[in-house]
Amino acid sequence: MGGNSFGTLFRITTWGESHGKALGVVIDGCPPRIELSPEDIQEELNRRRPGQGKGSSPRREKDRVEILSGVFEGQTTGTPISLLVWNEDVDSGPYEQLKDVFRPGHADFTYQAKYGIRDHRGGGRASARETVGRVAAGALAKKVLKGEGIEIMAYTVEMGGIRAERRDFREVEKNPFRCPDPDAAEAIGRKIDEARLRGDTLGGVVEILVRGCPAGLGEPVFDKLEADLAKGLMSIGAVRGVEVGAGFQAARMFGSQSNDPPVPGGFSKNDSGGILGGISSGADIVLRAAVKPIPSISLEQRTIDSSGRPVSLRIQGRHDVSAIPRITPVGEAMVAIVLADHLLRQRTLKKE
Amino acid sequence: MGGNSFGTLFRITTWGESHGKALGVVIDGCPPRIELSPEDIQEELNRRRPGQGKGSSPRREKDRVEILSGVFEGQTTGTPISLLVWNEDVDSGPYEQLKDVFRPGHADFTYQAKYGIRDHRGGGRASARETVGRVAAGALAKKVLKGEGIEIMAYTVEMGGIRAERRDFREVEKNPFRCPDPDAAEAIGRKIDEARLRGDTLGGVVEILVRGCPAGLGEPVFDKLEADLAKGLMSIGAVRGVEVGAGFQAARMFGSQSNDPPVPGGFSKNDSGGILGGISSGADIVLRAAVKPIPSISLEQRTIDSSGRPVSLRIQGRHDVSAIPRITPVGEAMVAIVLADHLLRQRTLKKE
Amino acid sequence: MGGNSFGTLFRITTWGESHGKALGVVIDGCPPRIELSPEDIQEELNRRRPGQGKGSSPRREKDRVEILSGVFEGQTTGTPISLLVWNEDVDSGPYEQLKDVFRPGHADFTYQAKYGIRDHRGGGRASARETVGRVAAGALAKKVLKGEGIEIMAYTVEMGGIRAERRDFREVEKNPFRCPDPDAAEAIGRKIDEARLRGDTLGGVVEILVRGCPAGLGEPVFDKLEADLAKGLMSIGAVRGVEVGAGFQAARMFGSQSNDPPVPGGFSKNDSGGILGGISSGADIVLRAAVKPIPSISLEQRTIDSSGRPVSLRIQGRHDVSAIPRITPVGEAMVAIVLADHLLRQRTLKKE
Amino acid sequence: MGGNSFGTLFRITTWGESHGKALGVVIDGCPPRIELSPEDIQEELNRRRPGQGKGSSPRREKDRVEILSGVFEGQTTGTPISLLVWNEDVDSGPYEQLKDVFRPGHADFTYQAKYGIRDHRGGGRASARETVGRVAAGALAKKVLKGEGIEIMAYTVEMGGIRAERRDFREVEKNPFRCPDPDAAEAIGRKIDEARLRGDTLGGVVEILVRGCPAGLGEPVFDKLEADLAKGLMSIGAVRGVEVGAGFQAARMFGSQSNDPPVPGGFSKNDSGGILGGISSGADIVLRAAVKPIPSISLEQRTIDSSGRPVSLRIQGRHDVSAIPRITPVGEAMVAIVLADHLLRQRTLKKE
């Protein structure tokens, strides 16, 4: 009940600190006889690995996943699947200076307030490195969904204030920001160079698209599909806002504009983002998550130390300019886990 | 597991359909010896009752709450508290024409797809009337929080595209839109008249402010305070987006702008919205929810019937122009329930 | 989280005190399109109603159930089902003398220790009357199971030390003790007369038999079928022991005696009680629950009052000689709820 | 939701198969600042390790535990604690012959029926080796309880039909059966020799005693302390029956015998086993679990293969004569986990 589990039927529990021995995840409730190889998971982990693009830190995490249980002769057995990644290339030295200082924008202060103790090395449990477990579990969730014809894709639609005007999905893997608009991607590249030069960081907006989801997933009243999706996305460290379909724009529409007219076989438009009354409608599910800039900037900052005294701080170490490109696989993972969970929940309503 | 419960330690379960016999809520896990009278709950229910302002429908729900269990001599006993409101003044006649038609923007189609059966009368379980149980439970959650010095207030900061520029909280109860900016409130009034004349509806944005929340509430990793709050708010039927603190604006900031510098006794600004790393920081908690326009418009709409044939539809009956003013107490309720839950969770960490 | 919910997918939440306004249950997660009438539930409630046999109290509870939600045109809709029974014929007068006294064998002392407050009238929440909600929910669970060919029967196999030597199920409804051995039933009748004359009470053992349960229900490791069944039965107030199959006798066997040899189509005997490794084997499920005597005896007893002073107590009021015959439908209900829950859990493993 | 988690606030999730790479457990919800060293856990694991006594198998498991997360500078941090034990000395060869055969008394048949796939090596997930995770987590639960003055002890009170007549706790660690009666221990030793000679196995009864538990733990209605304890114990593979206090004997008492009279400071006797109405009374908690004989006997047995054909089977490999002595630490672990969980639950009722 410490908040480290997610999902009800397809349920994951993650563990591990940034500079601890290892990180991992246990997945309970995965149906049997789904093919799963270490490569299936590794592929997703590689996508979240740093050091891949312009906005990334040079830390070299190999992040080799080990499947410790729940898979027999290449198939899930219905028993819990334990996945583990050892922490390598860890240097806690630069964090020694931060032992008694609360970094602005980080969880240092609040962890201390909550627990009265904290592992300060690399941000401890609050580090983005915790998402290794999410992405590993998400790889399995994606396999469950793929068997039902459901596919998920996340990409960057805004970064440093520059918005993608197009959705050309062939472009996504062609630029380091996973942006579906090549012109925007170029402008983002310049913005990132600028920010790095300043010692500053950038935020942005990730969009997540789900195709092939059948109508009927999601539970009223509290476990509405968009409610669980919002929780899943908002539980990612840097996310500060979530919207579905037209989202905040829907608040500015008339009802006559906002309603999606049903037509034979679907809807004539999709401002609802594929969810009506908390239940998937069969249309594409469209979500967006607002990602704040990484709080670890190189500029000098004012803060306090653990005894409450004002101090000046300049953070050293290896840090990304933006969490955005690495956050796309995490967003996909969370959406995949929510959908796999609701897929299993939906099965309980039907006789075999 | 049908999704009708919310919370882990302070846990509510709501039940009831719009035109069924009654609606209610069972609250399990409320601490003992909290004073609770029917009036405490009635006051909150009256705030969500329709027929109170310009944007409201004339349906006359008395919504008298009955406390059926869990309270003895005016105090909670630690046993489950069952609250019930009878449905009166129900006329299912106007819904007879909708029996086999899927109303655009409503959950008619998705409930049918999910369950293969639906109570079409008044929207059944998908009706906003379901929030009666939430508000009743929220009244109790508020009492739990009040005992710890925590107060919650929701108000309208945008409606029909008109934004409140000021936060003058003395104004909130002075206008029917619960808007803290009297000039905006006036403009909103004109906008509503205009929409009603057209037979159309409006959306808007509700802001929720929590004062007095101590640092330390919220659980990493998945049950971050903002994640549970986002789920709670996104589970309200009309909500399509949620943000905390600077929210989507944070995506456009530099890290050096976004970080809130800690100072002795708090923070020098509050773009984080009172939550860092999923844990309350002691600063005010600030949330916003985007509310779509009510889908029941009087204008003629194109849709399909239950056999998939295109039909034309003109909805009759009593409907609000906007869900916004009535949604503010629902938003307060959900936030109160999340905070009461995390308050109890935090208690488990400390010895008596 | 106050412990008033049971089940994971087929989940019930009960509420209500013995002398409160009403008692009830909310069932969440029941599949749609199951036929349910008030009579279906009433029939089960009538079986647990007192005043039916020799061992029973004369309290005349009508216990008319009302279905308040979740059923439309005679069928479940997938939304939560709220069932309510009003408390009538309640006289709290005799309990006034017990306000500050802890009755031996009752939960008076422990509720006070836990909550610092208690509703002393009729035992409050700790009263056996709480089982009304269980039996009502169990009636629905039985309907779910019946659709899959699963049937449950509970009967008395021991009472006041007299054991049934036979299992002639046609006899069960022919005697007031629901005993499948007419000779034992006669002896039990004499034993009850004797106990009543003394002002004393009796315990016994209830056996529960499940027929038609398919192989495959139950989840390793912690949610083994027998583990959930044991919890369900042990959660009934008077139950002090639970066993499956050969139970405590298995502890005295050699492995060569205890093992049930598999044969084509089943097993050559059934000492395992239909469960192997926490999963149903397809054989009959056999459980037994030990029921302690009702603690409310008419004899004078020594106890203490709420300030810890020794007092002498003679309990007045209407009380049964034994809980046994009335507990059989409660046992059936709990077993039905566990099985319905695991039936739904099993569905999640299979594609439609 | 695959049933591999246990507890609500102090929540454990175990994973791992008998002949897989490793086994482990993740503990979520443990309060911060509890001292924990690998030795604390190792000590408990050593107690469940085979090869320690007369009734044990010669398999040499070293079972070295690794703490992978959640502990910083020797103290828990409030984040999830991941414990891992590698599987060494594993020889799956002898299980090759069992690949397509259902061993009598084992879960081979039911796992296959449930999942359509199973890891046959060493019993896979159904192996008693799974209890490694329970015992490791129990070691931590015990530390939580010790801080509150609560201690747990399990011992053998019956084996092969021979009952301990005394409870001399100084004797428990002096004989390989953990029996508090030296005379009974001697007779049990002879019985075990006899069984081993026959190629047969023995069952028995374990008693668990909890001292120092304060009044007030346990939640009515469904999460009664004895209900959760019964589930915890019944979830241990070989357990077929559980009782609290007088247990099945209570069924044969009169109410006047069964009631424990309250006296100033406690109760004059303890037939209730320290629990009244599902809540601890402050008296010692006394439980008993019936353990069936180990199903892996050396004698030839009749069974079927996976195509349903009758076959004859003689099990080879290393096996204990009885699970009993090794099950005592597992019983302690499960009781410790339940009590730690309810201790945290009780904290939620009280203000700091």
Side-chain angles (χ1 to χ4, degrees):
Chain A
M1 190 53 90
N4 296 284
S5 295
F6 187 75
T8 55
L9 295 187
F10 188 94
R11 186 166 176 85
I12 74 167
T13 301
T14 72
W15 55 269
E17 278 84 34
S18 180
H19 288 203
K21 284 193 187 172
L23 296 106
V25 62
V26 182
I27 302 134
D28 197 16
C30 181
R33 281 168 295 139
I34 290 173
E35 299 202 357
L36 185 71
S37 70
E39 291 69 36
D40 291 326
I41 303 160
Q42 197 62 52
E43 201 179 311
E44 292 295 319
L45 285 178
N46 291 350
R47 292 179 64 212
R48 78 160 284 291
R49 216 170 47 190
Q52 298 190 81
K54 266 194 145 173
S56 298
S57 87
R59 175 168 172 179
R60 299 232 303 284
E61 303 164 283
K62 288 199 220 80
D63 288 353
R64 302 303 308 175
V65 71
E66 292 186 41
I67 302 177
L68 298 180
S69 70
V71 176
F72 181 61
E73 297 180 346
Q75 291 193 307
T76 62
T77 60
T79 63
I81 297 157
S82 177
L83 306 176
L84 180 143
V85 169
W86 295 102
N87 275 327
E88 304 169 31
D89 187 23
V90 167
D91 176 11
S92 302
Y95 288 91
E96 204 51 32
Q97 60 147 328
L98 300 170
K99 201 176 167 178
D100 299 311
V101 178
F102 299 133
R103 292 169 299 162
H106 278 287
D108 300 350
F109 171 75
T110 51
Y111 266 66
Q112 189 68 38
K114 182 175 191 67
Y115 298 114
I117 183 175
R118 72 190 173 97
D119 180 350
H120 67 280
R121 303 166 305 161
R125 181 75 180 142
S127 163
R129 188 147 172 74
E130 166 269 325
T131 58
V132 160
R134 302 182 184 222
V135 170
L140 177 54
K142 281 182 170 186
K143 295 218 74 169
V144 172
L145 296 174
K146 206 171 183 180
E148 307 272 342
I150 305 170
E151 302 216 37
I152 301 167
M153 182 171 37
Y155 41 85
T156 304
V157 293
E158 187 177 330
M159 204 162 154
I162 295 155
R163 303 174 75 153
E165 301 299 330
R166 294 194 285 144
R167 300 285 187 274
D168 184 345
F169 298 127
R170 295 162 304 183
E171 295 291 330
V172 169
E173 297 296 327
K174 292 190 187 157
N175 62 74
F177 319 112
R178 294 184 173 129
C179 179
D181 176 342
D183 298 332
E186 225 184 285
I188 287 169
R190 288 190 298 268
K191 194 87 184 181
I192 283 195
D193 289 340
E194 187 190 319
R196 181 179 289 110
L197 217 66
R198 287 182 48 160
D200 217 334
T201 56
L202 293 178
V205 177
V206 168
E207 188 169 275
I208 301 154
L209 175 70
V210 182
R211 292 192 280 203
C213 183
L217 304 198
E219 303 282 328
V221 169
F222 296 108
D223 297 351
K224 286 187 167 79
L225 193 54
E226 68 267 49
D228 279 351
L229 288 165
K231 175 168 176 171
L233 292 174
M234 201 71 122
S235 76
I236 303 171
V239 173
R240 307 308 283 166
V242 177
E243 58 182 14
V244 56
F248 275 85
Q249 276 312 317
R252 282 132 211 165
M253 293 178 177
F254 285 105
S256 56
Q257 297 171 291
S258 162
N259 286 347
D260 297 331
V263 294
F267 298 85
S268 67
K269 65 185 187 66
N270 187 22
D271 276 320
S272 75
I275 306 176
L276 274 172
I279 301 169
S280 64
S281 70
D284 287 352
I285 296 173
V286 184
L287 301 155
R288 272 174 301 281
V291 180
K292 72 170 184 177
I294 287 178
S296 286
I297 58 176
S298 304
L299 298 166
E300 185 169 314
Q301 296 181 89
R302 303 290 307 164
T303 184
I304 58 172
D305 65 16
S306 57
S307 22
R309 273 185 302 256
V311 292
S312 172
L313 170 72
R314 190 181 288 272
I315 293 173
Q316 264 109 52
R318 308 164 296 182
H319 298 286
D320 292 351
V321 173
S322 179
I324 278 284
R326 293 181 66 194
I327 251 180
T328 54
V330 183
E332 288 179 13
M334 294 311 296
V335 170
I337 292 162
V338 170
L339 289 174
D341 192 42
H342 278 282
L343 183 78
L344 300 190
R345 291 174 79 161
Q346 182 63 1
R347 286 186 187 168
T348 67
L349 302 189
K350 309 268 172 70
K351 293 184 77 162
E352 286 164 44
Chain B
M1 191 52 88
N4 297 282
S5 294
F6 187 76
T8 53
L9 295 187
F10 187 95
R11 185 165 175 86
I12 74 168
T13 302
T14 71
W15 55 269
E17 278 83 34
S18 180
H19 287 204
K21 283 193 185 171
L23 297 107
V25 63
V26 182
I27 302 133
D28 198 16
C30 181
R33 279 168 296 139
I34 290 173
E35 300 203 356
L36 185 71
S37 69
E39 291 70 35
D40 292 324
I41 303 160
Q42 197 61 51
E43 200 178 310
E44 292 295 318
L45 286 178
N46 292 349
R47 292 178 64 213
R48 79 160 284 291
R49 215 169 49 190
Q52 296 189 84
K54 265 194 148 174
S56 300
S57 88
R59 176 168 173 179
R60 298 233 302 287
E61 301 164 284
K62 287 201 220 78
D63 287 353
R64 303 303 310 176
V65 71
E66 291 186 42
I67 302 177
L68 297 180
S69 70
V71 176
F72 181 61
E73 297 180 346
Q75 290 193 309
T76 61
T77 60
T79 62
I81 297 158
S82 177
L83 307 176
L84 180 144
V85 168
W86 295 102
N87 275 327
E88 303 170 32
D89 187 24
V90 167
D91 176 11
S92 301
Y95 288 91
E96 203 51 34
Q97 60 147 330
L98 300 170
K99 202 176 167 177
D100 299 311
V101 178
F102 299 135
R103 293 169 299 162
H106 279 285
D108 300 350
F109 171 75
T110 51
Y111 266 66
Q112 190 68 37
K114 182 176 190 65
Y115 298 115
I117 183 176
R118 71 188 174 100
D119 180 351
H120 66 279
R121 302 165 306 161
R125 181 73 180 142
S127 164
R129 188 148 173 74
E130 167 268 326
T131 59
V132 160
R134 301 183 186 221
V135 170
L140 176 54
K142 281 182 169 186
K143 296 218 72 168
V144 172
L145 295 174
K146 206 172 183 178
E148 308 272 343
I150 305 170
E151 301 216 37
I152 300 167
M153 181 169 40
Y155 42 85
T156 304
V157 294
E158 187 177 331
M159 203 162 157
I162 295 155
R163 301 173 76 151
E165 302 298 331
R166 294 194 285 144
R167 301 284 189 273
D168 184 346
F169 297 126
R170 294 161 305 181
E171 294 291 329
V172 169
E173 296 296 327
K174 290 190 188 158
N175 63 72
F177 318 112
R178 292 185 174 129
C179 180
D181 176 342
D183 297 333
E186 224 184 285
I188 288 169
R190 286 191 298 270
K191 195 86 182 184
I192 283 195
D193 288 341
E194 188 191 318
R196 180 181 288 110
L197 217 65
R198 289 181 47 160
D200 218 330
T201 57
L202 293 178
V205 177
V206 168
E207 189 169 275
I208 301 154
L209 176 70
V210 182
R211 292 193 280 205
C213 183
L217 304 198
E219 304 281 328
V221 169
F222 297 108
D223 297 351
K224 286 189 166 77
L225 193 54
E226 68 267 47
D228 278 351
L229 288 165
K231 175 168 177 171
L233 292 174
M234 202 70 123
S235 76
I236 302 171
V239 173
R240 308 306 284 166
V242 177
E243 58 181 16
V244 56
F248 275 83
Q249 275 311 317
R252 282 133 211 163
M253 293 179 178
F254 285 106
S256 57
Q257 295 171 292
S258 162
N259 285 347
D260 298 330
V263 293
F267 298 85
S268 67
K269 67 185 186 64
N270 188 22
D271 275 321
S272 75
I275 306 176
L276 274 171
I279 302 170
S280 63
S281 69
D284 287 351
I285 295 171
V286 184
L287 300 155
R288 273 174 302 282
V291 180
K292 74 170 183 176
I294 289 178
S296 287
I297 59 176
S298 305
L299 297 167
E300 186 169 312
Q301 296 181 90
R302 304 291 306 165
T303 186
I304 58 170
D305 66 16
S306 56
S307 22
R309 272 185 302 255
V311 293
S312 171
L313 170 73
R314 189 180 288 273
I315 293 173
Q316 265 111 51
R318 307 164 297 184
H319 298 285
D320 292 351
V321 171
S322 178
I324 278 283
R326 292 181 67 193
I327 250 178
T328 54
V330 182
E332 288 179 12
M334 293 312 295
V335 170
I337 291 161
V338 170
L339 289 174
D341 192 41
H342 278 280
L343 184 76
L344 300 189
R345 290 174 81 161
Q346 181 63 2
R347 284 185 188 171
T348 66
L349 303 188
K350 308 270 172 69
K351 294 185 76 162
E352 285 164 45
Chain C
M1 191 53 85
N4 296 284
S5 294
F6 187 76
T8 53
L9 295 186
F10 188 94
R11 186 165 175 87
I12 74 168
T13 302
T14 71
W15 55 269
E17 279 83 33
S18 180
H19 288 203
K21 283 192 186 173
L23 297 107
V25 63
V26 182
I27 301 132
D28 197 16
C30 181
R33 281 170 294 140
I34 290 172
E35 299 203 358
L36 185 71
S37 70
E39 291 70 36
D40 291 326
I41 303 160
Q42 197 61 51
E43 201 178 310
E44 292 295 319
L45 287 178
N46 292 350
R47 291 178 64 211
R48 77 160 285 291
R49 215 171 49 192
Q52 297 190 83
K54 266 193 147 173
S56 300
S57 88
R59 176 167 172 182
R60 299 231 302 286
E61 302 164 283
K62 287 199 220 82
D63 289 353
R64 302 302 309 174
V65 71
E66 292 186 41
I67 302 177
L68 298 180
S69 70
V71 176
F72 181 61
E73 298 180 345
Q75 289 193 309
T76 60
T77 60
T79 64
I81 297 158
S82 176
L83 306 175
L84 180 143
V85 168
W86 295 102
N87 276 327
E88 302 170 33
D89 187 24
V90 166
D91 176 11
S92 302
Y95 288 91
E96 203 51 33
Q97 60 145 332
L98 300 170
K99 201 176 167 178
D100 300 309
V101 178
F102 299 133
R103 292 169 300 162
H106 278 285
D108 300 350
F109 170 75
T110 50
Y111 267 66
Q112 189 68 38
K114 182 174 191 66
Y115 298 115
I117 183 175
R118 72 188 173 99
D119 180 350
H120 66 281
R121 302 164 307 161
R125 181 73 179 145
S127 164
R129 190 150 171 72
E130 167 268 327
T131 59
V132 160
R134 302 181 185 222
V135 171
L140 176 54
K142 281 183 170 186
K143 295 217 75 168
V144 172
L145 296 174
K146 206 171 182 178
E148 308 272 342
I150 305 170
E151 301 216 37
I152 301 167
M153 181 170 38
Y155 41 86
T156 305
V157 293
E158 187 178 330
M159 202 163 158
I162 295 155
R163 301 173 76 151
E165 302 298 331
R166 293 194 285 144
R167 303 283 188 273
D168 184 346
F169 297 127
R170 293 162 306 182
E171 294 292 328
V172 169
E173 297 296 328
K174 290 189 187 156
N175 63 72
F177 319 112
R178 292 184 175 131
C179 179
D181 176 342
D183 298 332
E186 225 184 285
I188 288 170
R190 286 191 299 268
K191 194 86 182 184
I192 283 195
D193 289 341
E194 188 190 317
R196 181 181 287 110
L197 216 66
R198 290 180 47 160
D200 217 331
T201 56
L202 292 178
V205 177
V206 168
E207 188 169 276
I208 302 154
L209 177 69
V210 182
R211 291 192 281 204
C213 183
L217 304 197
E219 304 281 329
V221 170
F222 296 109
D223 297 352
K224 286 188 166 79
L225 193 54
E226 67 267 48
D228 278 352
L229 288 165
K231 174 167 176 172
L233 292 173
M234 203 70 123
S235 76
I236 303 171
V239 173
R240 308 307 283 164
V242 177
E243 59 181 14
V244 57
F248 275 84
Q249 275 312 317
R252 282 132 211 162
M253 293 178 179
F254 286 106
S256 57
Q257 296 172 292
S258 163
N259 286 348
D260 298 331
V263 293
F267 299 85
S268 67
K269 64 184 187 67
N270 188 21
D271 275 321
S272 75
I275 306 175
L276 274 171
I279 303 170
S280 62
S281 69
D284 287 351
I285 295 172
V286 184
L287 301 155
R288 274 174 301 280
V291 180
K292 75 170 184 176
I294 288 177
S296 287
I297 59 176
S298 305
L299 297 166
E300 185 168 313
Q301 296 181 91
R302 303 292 307 165
T303 187
I304 58 170
D305 65 16
S306 55
S307 22
R309 273 186 301 256
V311 292
S312 171
L313 170 72
R314 190 181 287 272
I315 293 172
Q316 264 109 53
R318 308 163 296 183
H319 298 284
D320 292 351
V321 171
S322 178
I324 279 281
R326 293 180 66 193
I327 251 178
T328 53
V330 182
E332 287 178 13
M334 294 311 297
V335 170
I337 292 162
V338 170
L339 289 174
D341 192 41
H342 279 281
L343 184 75
L344 300 189
R345 291 174 80 163
Q346 182 63 1
R347 284 185 189 171
T348 66
L349 302 190
K350 309 269 172 71
K351 294 184 76 163
E352 285 164 43
Chain D
M1 191 53 89
N4 296 284
S5 295
F6 187 76
T8 53
L9 296 187
F10 187 94
R11 187 166 175 85
I12 73 168
T13 302
T14 71
W15 55 270
E17 278 85 33
S18 180
H19 287 203
K21 284 194 186 170
L23 297 106
V25 62
V26 182
I27 302 134
D28 196 18
C30 181
R33 280 169 294 140
I34 290 173
E35 300 202 358
L36 184 71
S37 69
E39 291 70 35
D40 291 325
I41 302 160
Q42 197 61 52
E43 200 178 311
E44 292 295 319
L45 285 178
N46 292 349
R47 293 178 63 213
R48 80 161 282 292
R49 216 171 47 192
Q52 298 190 81
K54 266 193 147 174
S56 299
S57 88
R59 175 169 173 179
R60 300 233 301 286
E61 301 164 286
K62 288 199 220 81
D63 288 354
R64 302 304 309 176
V65 72
E66 292 186 43
I67 303 178
L68 298 180
S69 69
V71 176
F72 181 61
E73 297 179 348
Q75 290 193 307
T76 61
T77 59
T79 62
I81 297 157
S82 177
L83 307 176
L84 180 142
V85 168
W86 295 102
N87 275 328
E88 305 169 31
D89 187 24
V90 166
D91 176 11
S92 302
Y95 288 91
E96 204 51 32
Q97 59 146 331
L98 300 170
K99 201 175 167 179
D100 298 311
V101 178
F102 298 134
R103 293 170 298 162
H106 278 286
D108 300 349
F109 171 75
T110 51
Y111 267 65
Q112 189 67 37
K114 183 175 190 67
Y115 298 114
I117 183 176
R118 72 190 173 96
D119 180 351
H120 67 279
R121 302 165 305 162
R125 181 73 179 143
S127 164
R129 187 146 173 76
E130 167 269 325
T131 59
V132 160
R134 302 182 185 222
V135 170
L140 177 54
K142 281 183 169 185
K143 295 218 73 168
V144 172
L145 295 174
K146 205 171 183 179
E148 308 272 343
I150 304 171
E151 301 216 37
I152 301 167
M153 181 170 38
Y155 41 86
T156 304
V157 293
E158 187 177 331
M159 203 162 157
I162 294 155
R163 302 174 74 153
E165 302 298 331
R166 294 195 284 145
R167 300 284 187 273
D168 183 345
F169 297 125
R170 294 161 305 183
E171 295 291 329
V172 169
E173 298 295 329
K174 292 189 188 157
N175 62 73
F177 319 113
R178 293 185 174 129
C179 179
D181 176 341
D183 298 333
E186 223 184 286
I188 288 170
R190 286 190 299 270
K191 195 86 183 182
I192 283 195
D193 289 339
E194 187 190 321
R196 181 178 290 110
L197 216 65
R198 289 181 47 159
D200 218 331
T201 56
L202 292 179
V205 177
V206 168
E207 188 169 275
I208 302 154
L209 176 70
V210 182
R211 290 192 281 205
C213 183
L217 304 198
E219 304 280 328
V221 169
F222 296 109
D223 297 352
K224 286 187 166 80
L225 193 54
E226 68 268 49
D228 278 352
L229 288 165
K231 175 167 177 172
L233 292 174
M234 202 70 123
S235 76
I236 303 171
V239 173
R240 307 309 282 164
V242 176
E243 57 181 16
V244 56
F248 275 83
Q249 275 311 317
R252 283 132 209 163
M253 293 178 177
F254 285 105
S256 56
Q257 295 172 292
S258 162
N259 287 347
D260 297 331
V263 293
F267 298 85
S268 67
K269 66 185 186 66
N270 187 23
D271 276 320
S272 75
I275 306 175
L276 274 171
I279 302 169
S280 64
S281 70
D284 286 351
I285 296 173
V286 184
L287 301 154
R288 272 174 302 281
V291 180
K292 74 169 183 178
I294 288 178
S296 286
I297 59 176
S298 305
L299 297 166
E300 185 169 315
Q301 297 182 88
R302 303 291 307 163
T303 186
I304 57 172
D305 65 16
S306 56
S307 23
R309 274 185 301 256
V311 292
S312 173
L313 171 72
R314 190 182 289 272
I315 294 174
Q316 265 109 53
R318 308 163 297 183
H319 298 285
D320 293 351
V321 172
S322 178
I324 277 284
R326 292 180 67 193
I327 251 179
T328 54
V330 183
E332 287 179 14
M334 293 312 297
V335 169
I337 292 162
V338 170
L339 288 175
D341 192 42
H342 279 281
L343 184 77
L344 300 189
R345 292 174 79 162
Q346 181 63 3
R347 285 185 186 169
T348 66
L349 303 188
K350 308 269 172 70
K351 295 184 75 162
E352 288 164 44

